[in-house]
Amino acid sequence: YQWRRKFIQEGRVALMKPTNERERGPLKEGTPDTNDVITQLKTQVQAMQLEIDILKATLDVLKKDPGINITNLSNREKAVMVDALRETYSLPLILAALNFPKSSYDHQFHRKNFREKYQTVSNRIREIFVENDSCYGYRRITAALKREGLRLSEKVVRHIMRENQFIVKCRKMRKYNSYHGEITPAVTNVVARNFKADNPNQKWLTDITEFSISAGKVYLSPVIDCFDGLPVSWKIGTAPDAQLVNTMLDAAIATLPDTAHPLVHTDRGCQYRWPGWIERMDRAQLVRSMSKKGCSPDNA
């Protein structure tokens, strides 16, 4: 960098002699060969000067290290350098030196104009966003601006918020999962995906379903008979605990005749592996069957 700078500033440009000068003789001023060589050397000098000015722009404008690789710059940084050099060089020459496509520069140019156009509105949006604990999205902010007499489309407000990283912080909803590990030894999958029965009270299926309503979350625990698909019994509670499934199972066992001992198929949820559930199953002489963990076809 220092050598090139000194080379250009002092004007010590060495004209390279053609390799076949002995055959053609010395170049004379005004001849076509001399004009071509001079034009070529001027182009080389201009390219070297552009390279030096690009390095100076990275130091003065972008405040980057001298040894930075130009290709590693972002499109936004390249657009800033193009604007800094456009008064001295033509746009195609700068874009070629920076390996910066014209379409990318146009995109950055329009983004810059957008930011400058809505700078005042952007500051007001920032104030509204901070005043409301970063909870207002683009719809609420658009309504707040409208009340102040600033009419903007929701698309423009959303674009400004995305440009300034105004992201609403929201808690991720925790998905219900009944699996709490291998609490008790698992049983085999006796049903083996055959969810049909020839007689009532031959195969039962049960699971817990979560519902979100305005009052909160509720949980449904039914027992379905594979013979006709009708519920044998069902219970609803506000927590997917042992009391929900145990009371549901007690009600289902109460409907059985003395000679019926159906197979009960469940997933590997903790509710079906606690001692209370296993004790009730053994006392009623019901056969347990469990699906494989994480295998939805096993779970009817």
Side-chain angles (χ1 to χ4, degrees):
Y1 170 71
Q2 296 293 340
W3 176 84
R4 291 179 180 178
R5 183 177 180 182
K6 184 178 180 181
F7 181 78
I8 295 299
Q9 290 179 351
E10 295 183 0
R12 293 184 297 179
V13 181
L15 297 177
M16 304 298 296
K17 294 184 179 181
T19 55
N20 56 353
E21 181 181 353
R22 295 180 180 178
E23 299 176 0
R24 298 185 306 174
L27 294 175
K28 296 181 180 180
E29 185 178 358
T31 60
D33 292 339
T34 304
N35 293 336
D36 293 342
V37 173
I38 293 175
T39 303
Q40 183 180 3
L41 290 174
K42 287 182 178 180
T43 304
Q44 294 177 359
V45 171
Q46 186 183 27
M48 294 175 63
Q49 183 63 44
L50 175 59
E51 184 178 354
I52 293 173
D53 291 340
I54 289 176
L55 293 175
K56 289 175 62 179
T58 56
L59 294 173
D60 301 336
V61 180
L62 300 181
K63 308 300 181 182
K64 298 288 185 177
D65 295 332
I68 189 173
N69 190 355
I70 303 299
T71 58
N72 294 333
L73 297 177
S74 63
N75 289 346
R76 188 171 182 176
E77 293 173 338
K78 290 182 179 180
V80 173
M81 295 182 62
V82 171
D83 294 337
L85 299 173
R86 285 199 65 177
E87 296 182 358
T88 308
Y89 303 95
S90 63
L91 181 61
L93 189 62
I94 304 173
L95 295 178
L98 293 175
N99 193 19
F100 192 28
K102 179 67 164 53
S103 58
S104 300
Y105 173 72
D106 292 338
H107 177 68
Q108 295 295 328
F109 180 78
H110 292 306
R111 288 184 63 181
K112 178 184 177 182
N113 292 340
F114 181 88
R115 288 191 295 268
E116 294 177 353
K117 180 180 179 181
Y118 294 102
Q119 184 62 42
T120 304
V121 179
S122 177
N123 295 335
R124 181 53 188 153
I125 290 177
R126 182 191 301 273
E127 294 175 357
I128 297 175
F129 189 75
V130 174
E131 289 173 359
N132 293 277
D133 299 327
S134 303
C135 294
Y136 269 23
Y138 69 93
R139 293 187 180 92
R140 282 186 169 184
I141 290 182
T142 302
L145 293 174
K146 186 177 180 181
R147 289 192 295 268
E148 297 178 2
L150 297 175
R151 292 184 172 271
L152 294 176
S153 66
E154 292 183 351
K155 183 178 180 180
V156 173
V157 175
R158 185 171 65 246
H159 185 79
I160 294 174
M161 294 183 67
R162 185 170 57 248
E163 282 282 332
N164 294 274
Q165 298 294 320
F166 298 154
I167 302 175
V168 177
K169 299 178 182 179
C170 57
R171 292 184 300 175
K172 185 177 180 181
M173 297 298 292
R174 179 178 175 272
K175 189 176 179 180
Y176 168 68
N177 186 6
S178 62
Y179 182 76
H180 289 175
E182 301 296 319
I183 301 174
T184 56
V187 296
T188 58
N189 187 355
V190 183
V191 173
R193 304 186 186 181
N194 182 14
F195 303 111
K196 295 181 180 180
D198 298 330
N199 300 304
N201 298 323
Q202 183 179 358
K203 292 180 183 179
W204 285 358
L205 310 173
T206 183
D207 200 355
I208 297 179
T209 304
E210 181 185 77
F211 293 93
S212 295
I213 60 177
S214 57
K217 291 184 178 181
V218 294
Y219 299 88
L220 169 66
S221 177
V223 173
I224 306 298
D225 196 328
C226 287
F227 176 71
D228 50 12
L230 295 178
V232 180
S233 69
W234 54 273
K235 294 293 180 181
I236 291 179
T238 57
D241 52 12
Q243 182 180 1
L244 178 67
V245 296
N246 290 343
T247 53
M248 175 270 303
L249 183 61
D250 292 338
I253 293 174
T255 63
L256 287 174
D258 296 336
T259 57
H261 305 285
L263 182 148
V264 182
H265 183 73
T266 66
D267 58 13
R268 298 201 175 196
C270 60
Q271 297 88 353
Y272 312 116
R273 309 182 74 167
W274 284 334
W277 176 271
I278 298 175
E279 181 183 351
R280 285 170 170 79
M281 294 284 292
D282 294 340
R283 187 168 58 245
Q285 299 180 6
L286 305 182
V287 181
R288 297 173 63 202
S289 174
M290 282 187 175
S291 60
K292 186 178 177 181
K293 181 180 181 297
C295 186
S296 59
D298 290 349
N299 189 358

